[in-house]
Amino acid sequence: MDDVGWLRIACELAGLCPPSRTAFSVGAVIVGADGREITRGYSREHDPHDHAEESALAKTAADLSGTTIYSSLEPCAERKSRPLTCSELILRAGIARVVFAWREPSVFVEGKGVEQLRAAGVEVVELPALADLARAPNAHLLS
């Protein structure tokens, strides 16, 4: 499967999130260098404060060096509910590549995940053609 296919899955996972007035609904999939899925997650999957990337990362102890994480929303670089942001978790895990659909709008915090990840040497790819799919489960926050 290609980047669009994996990112489409991440965007569909966002639809599984319990709705929230204080956080975005996001889906994430981690894929190995061999093209196989390692794990997936979505916001508020197990806890009201879970972010999608955090949920996916918590499900594996695998070496994630060289992997790609697909996220419907730009990984957060600022967070109020937990000590580590998703960008920091991605960097600590050694993920080499991030592919996302929608830049974080400044509804809750300023989106700076792309800049933080790129500054640390992570390849970041934005596929805005899927942004509408990523926005759909968040329409109630954008009106």
Side-chain angles (χ1 to χ4, degrees):
M1 191 172 343
D2 64 2
D3 285 346
V4 171
W6 286 116
L7 188 54
R8 186 174 295 280
I9 290 170
C11 290
E12 290 167 358
L13 284 168
L16 299 176
C17 300
S20 171
R21 302 276 317 135
T22 59
F24 289 110
S25 294
V26 181
V29 182
I30 300 174
V31 177
D34 63 358
R36 293 184 182 174
E37 181 177 329
I38 296 171
T39 186
R40 60 175 64 188
Y42 56 89
S43 301
R44 299 175 296 286
E45 185 172 1
H46 300 291
D47 179 280
H49 299 293
D50 284 347
H51 284 199
E53 300 91 337
E54 174 184 38
S55 181
L57 286 164
K59 293 177 187 175
T60 184
D63 176 7
L64 299 179
S65 302
T67 62
T68 298
I69 188 164
Y70 295 88
S71 181
S72 58
L73 180 70
E74 170 186 11
C76 70
E78 184 179 335
R79 189 166 182 182
K80 297 176 182 176
S81 62
R82 300 261 167 86
L84 294 176
T85 67
C86 291
S87 293
E88 290 168 327
L89 292 169
I90 288 166
L91 293 172
R92 285 183 179 205
I95 293 174
R97 192 166 175 263
V98 174
V99 179
F100 74 98
W102 180 34
R103 286 216 182 217
E104 183 170 7
S106 38
V107 173
F108 305 113
V109 298
E110 289 299 318
K112 296 182 181 166
V114 168
E115 292 79 10
Q116 186 179 47
L117 292 163
R118 284 185 176 149
V122 174
E123 178 187 354
V124 180
V125 177
E126 182 177 2
L127 298 180
L130 294 179
D132 285 345
L133 188 58
R135 275 191 289 273
N138 295 289
H140 65 288
L141 297 171
L142 305 172
S143 52

